[in-house]
Amino acid sequence: EKALAEAGLAPRDLLTPWCFSDIDEGFYAAQELMKMPPLQRPTAIIAFDDMIAIGALHAAWASGLRVPEDVSVVGCDDISAAAHTSPPLTTIAQPKYRIGQAAVQVLQRSLQGKEINSLRHALLPCSLVVRKSAGPCHVTTTEKE
């Protein structure tokens, strides 16, 4: 939402469907987006996690759309299956080991009766793993308007 605001755009509820973290749910949510008229359909999907993104890849294929030529798909987590989708999924790799360490620290402090409020939110570094499911938009701005 912050990136949209910085670009002078507002989020549209229709373009931000909510679903559970599941391949089937990702498929059905993305399928609804793929049914939109071409000039209203999003050119990119940024999924909450890789499972939803894998479902979105399937929905694009089932709708006859090409990834990334017609729609880009990006996931989050960098699960092992992400490198083996068709096309391979671009994703945001999370520092899983560091997340586990932080969770154990919070649990230990909590069990010891110590303050944990300062540990509730942690900003950890992550990286973009560029594969083949994301690319430049092939629909021009004038076509979309």
Side-chain angles (χ1 to χ4, degrees), residues 50 75-83 89 91-94 96 129 131:
D50 288 345
C76 186
D77 290 333
D78 196 25
I79 62 172
S80 59
L89 182 65
T91 184
I92 300 167
Q94 296 192 52
K96 297 173 187 83
V129 180
R131 294 195 179 106

Side-chain angles (χ1 to χ4, degrees), residues 7 9 26 34 38 51 61 65-66 74 81-82 89 109 112 121 145:
L9 302 169
M34 301 300 114
M51 299 299 280
W61 175 83
L65 298 175
R66 299 166 301 154
V74 176
L89 182 65
R109 289 183 65 87
Q112 295 167 354
H121 301 284
E145 292 175 352

Side-chain angles (χ1 to χ4, degrees), residues 2 8 12 14 23 32 39 44 53 61 63 70 75 83 91 93 102-103 113 143:
K2 182 179 176 184
R12 296 190 313 192
L14 180 62
I23 290 175
E32 291 303 310
L39 297 181
W61 175 83
S63 300
D70 300 319
T91 184
E143 288 178 282

Side-chain angles (χ1 to χ4, degrees), residues 6-52:
E6 289 173 1
L9 302 169
R12 296 190 313 192
D13 288 339
L14 180 62
L15 296 179
T16 53
W18 185 91
C19 65
F20 290 103
S21 179
D22 174 86
I23 290 175
D24 290 336
E25 293 274 340
F27 174 83
Y28 295 123
Q31 191 175 46
E32 291 303 310
L33 296 173
M34 301 300 114
K35 290 178 184 176
M36 296 175 72
L39 297 181
Q40 295 175 5
R41 185 175 54 233
T43 58
I45 295 174
I46 302 172
F48 175 78
D49 64 23
D50 288 345
M51 299 299 280
I52 293 171

